[in-house]
Amino acid sequence: MLDIVQLRKDLDAVVARLQTRKQPQPYLDVVAYQALESERKALQTRTEELQGQRNSLSKQIGMLKGKGQHAEADAAMARVAAFKAELETSAARLEVIQAELQALLLAVPNLPHESVPVGSDENANVELRRWGTPRRFDFELRDHVDIGEKLGLDFETGSKLAGARFTFMRGPIARLHRALAQFMLDVQTQEHGYTECYTPYIVNAETLLGTGQLPKFEGDMFAVKKGGQEGEEVPDTQALYLISTSEITLTNTVRDTVLAESDLPIRLTAHTPCFRSEAGSAGRDTRGMIRQHQFDKVEMVQIVHPEKSYEALDAMTSHAEAVLQKLGLPYRVIVLCTGDMGFGSTRTHDLEVWVPAQNTYREISSVSNCEAFQARRLQARFKNAQGRNELVHTLNGSGLAVGRALVAVLENYQNADGSVTVPEVLRPYLGGLEVLTPQ
């Protein structure tokens, strides 16, 4: 959530920065905001005046009674009573205004950092670097669907069990998928200092509000229907959702918390399934595993001192890169432009892995600095050197998306006979197996 103080000080600058984001506009209903803010200021000014007058009269009442001026004291008491009624009415209205301002601001995205390239869509993203050289094949190239079907990748069974965009794996492909996740966790925990976590896959609405999935992106979530007595209605406050990323659960561990400055940075990682409805993606990547309703991901989250968040962003990007380098998978790193950034991010680095059958790079990790945007919603703070509570900065990134890594390994390490060479770093996780052979 944006800083209300910043909005009050320089609304024009905030609006100008928001307008660099993806169309259509506006992200902030300026007219509604100004009307609410104007009424809030007027009410607060009037409240302060009334409180001052009430306090002054309260002092006079005692003096008047002491002098025997009971009529004047009664008149002053009547005025104090009137002030009290108006103050109570004002307080109730202020509470409503604050709630309306909160609802308004919860739908507004974060401000892009000044270093982010301005652009309307992905065509304005800027490539930072590349690593590795795409392999040249001297045989007919297959995509991961054709390769995987002979190794236990079963889209038909996945569709039968759950519908389109679900996958079933058995045998060698399931082992490879598991090996990738274990390898990624080991890299992040043993080499980069993350603490491995196991988190719930189902969360409440308050948790999603904290990291920004609600209220704006409820359509992207899978809601969970609770069991209960027939006809029993479950209140909205008890609504539950499947997580779309463990960023949600990991970041919320510091919700409503005041940390010691010495606690920072906090580095957390988890391997979880992720559930996304893929609203708005009809017709995109319908073949294969690139875009699924359920997929696995090893997530990285850092909670850091505000002065360290851009240093942490670069470090987390390198932590994701390390996995791809160890797997020997060519990739590139790009910085997303203002029109292609996620809702809560101020700056995002995407890692795109080479997918031979598509002859292009595809996203496999997105690493974002949210600055204080999530922390403000979460009320996640630390006690700074001056002894004051200050909002932390939060960052998140994939380290990596397991399913897309599986796609990249299958396609980049395929052989002419339909087998797949196992990357050396994964062989210890597969009992020393060097090649996956079609069944």
Side-chain angles (χ1 to χ4, degrees):
M1 191 163 64
L2 297 183
D3 183 0
I4 190 69
V5 175
Q6 186 178 8
L7 280 166
R8 289 169 183 167
K9 286 183 175 179
D10 200 349
L11 178 61
D12 290 343
V14 171
V15 171
R17 199 66 189 156
L18 286 172
Q19 286 175 340
T20 66
R21 278 184 166 271
K22 190 174 183 178
Q23 302 294 328
Q25 296 291 339
Y27 284 108
L28 173 65
D29 188 335
V30 175
V31 173
Y33 166 76
Q34 289 179 320
L36 287 169
E37 184 63 10
S38 176
E39 186 179 359
R40 180 199 64 80
K41 287 176 66 177
L43 276 172
Q44 287 193 336
T45 299
R46 176 59 177 160
T47 295
E48 290 169 4
E49 291 176 355
L50 288 174
Q51 288 172 337
Q53 293 179 36
R54 181 191 60 186
N55 293 341
S56 176
L57 281 172
S58 295
K59 292 178 181 178
Q60 292 178 29
I61 290 169
M63 294 172 59
L64 291 169
K65 286 184 175 179
K67 294 177 181 179
Q69 297 176 334
H70 297 293
E72 291 83 350
D74 290 343
M77 290 173 64
R79 290 184 64 193
V80 168
F83 289 160
K84 181 182 178 183
E86 187 176 347
L87 283 168
E88 289 175 350
T89 301
S90 295
R93 179 57 187 160
L94 272 172
E95 192 173 324
V96 171
I97 290 172
Q98 296 289 11
E100 291 179 357
L101 279 169
Q102 176 92 343
L104 192 71
L105 294 179
L106 284 175
V108 179
N110 206 350
L111 300 181
H113 190 265
E114 292 178 357
S115 66
V116 174
V118 175
S120 59
D121 56 35
E122 61 185 17
N123 294 314
N125 294 341
V126 175
E127 184 175 312
L128 298 178
R129 57 186 171 272
R130 294 190 182 198
W131 185 93
T133 302
R135 174 185 170 190
R136 292 185 178 182
F137 295 86
D138 57 4
F139 56 86
E140 185 178 354
L141 192 64
R142 300 179 179 88
D143 72 0
H144 70 280
V145 176
D146 290 339
I147 301 165
E149 282 178 342
K150 296 178 177 61
L151 296 171
L153 188 59
D154 187 346
F155 293 100
E156 184 178 346
T157 299
S159 179
K160 179 175 73 173
L161 295 175
R165 298 188 190 269
F166 287 93
T167 304
F168 191 92
M169 301 182 210
R170 56 169 66 84
I173 202 79
R175 289 187 69 196
L176 180 59
H177 186 267
R178 173 170 54 85
L180 280 163
Q182 288 181 294
F183 162 68
M184 292 173 190
L185 278 176
D186 284 348
V187 171
Q188 303 308 347
T189 56
Q190 296 174 17
E191 298 184 23
H192 301 145
Y194 291 82
T195 299
E196 183 175 349
C197 303
Y198 175 83
T199 89
Y201 302 160
I202 298 174
V203 295
N204 55 35
E206 184 180 5
T207 299
L208 292 173
L209 189 74
T211 43
Q213 282 75 25
L214 292 184
K216 191 172 180 62
F217 300 104
E218 186 169 13
D220 293 329
M221 309 298 298
F222 279 107
V224 179
K225 185 176 181 180
K226 292 178 64 177
Q229 299 296 324
E230 186 176 351
E232 180 184 4
E233 291 188 8
V234 179
D236 289 342
T237 54
Q238 296 179 21
L240 296 173
Y241 301 83
L242 293 169
I243 61 171
S244 56
T245 166
S246 58
E247 167 208 339
I248 295 165
T249 44
L250 296 176
T251 308
N252 267 275
T253 58
V254 294
R255 186 176 77 207
D256 297 325
T257 300
V258 179
L259 302 161
E261 189 169 357
S262 59
D263 293 333
L264 305 175
I266 296 172
R267 295 182 176 184
L268 306 174
T269 187
H271 165 221
T272 68
C274 305
F275 304 90
R276 299 184 184 179
S277 72
E278 295 293 349
S281 67
R284 296 176 59 194
D285 297 308
T286 55
R287 178 176 170 83
M289 293 184 64
I290 293 292
R291 195 176 299 274
Q292 297 275 281
H293 288 314
Q294 176 184 318
F295 61 94
D296 280 37
K297 184 152 64 85
V298 171
E299 185 73 3
M300 306 176 293
V301 161
Q302 289 203 29
I303 315 295
V304 304
H305 191 288
E307 294 176 1
K308 300 289 187 180
S309 63
Y310 283 93
E311 179 183 319
L313 176 64
D314 289 337
M316 290 178 70
T317 303
S318 72
H319 298 162
E321 288 183 81
V323 176
L324 290 172
Q325 291 176 13
K326 291 174 185 293
L327 289 170
L329 295 172
Y331 67 89
R332 67 175 186 167
V333 181
I334 61 174
V335 56
L336 299 190
C337 71
T338 54
D340 200 30
M341 286 170 52
F343 179 79
S345 175
T346 60
R347 181 179 168 98
T348 296
H349 297 162
D350 269 11
L351 275 65
E352 297 181 342
V353 68
W354 180 252
V355 180
Q358 296 186 12
N359 194 38
T360 191
Y361 293 93
R362 296 300 304 265
E363 179 197 335
I364 194 168
S365 175
S366 191
V367 186
S368 298
N369 185 359
C370 299
E371 292 190 0
F373 185 81
Q374 291 179 327
R376 193 168 287 110
R377 301 164 78 112
L378 294 163
Q379 281 301 289
R381 296 152 293 169
F382 72 100
K383 196 166 290 294
N384 63 23
Q386 292 73 43
R388 294 192 297 269
N389 290 345
E390 184 178 349
L391 294 168
V392 298
H393 279 191
T394 64
L395 301 95
N396 63 80
S398 307
L400 306 162
V402 182
R404 293 194 178 191
L406 181 69
V407 168
V409 167
L410 291 177
E411 294 196 9
N412 283 279
Y413 283 92
Q414 63 179 292
N415 301 311
D417 62 358
S419 66
V420 174
T421 300
V422 177
E424 286 189 23
V425 291
L426 295 181
R427 292 173 189 176
Y429 299 89
L430 293 166
L433 189 66
E434 296 182 4
V435 179
L436 297 183
T437 305
Q439 298 176 323

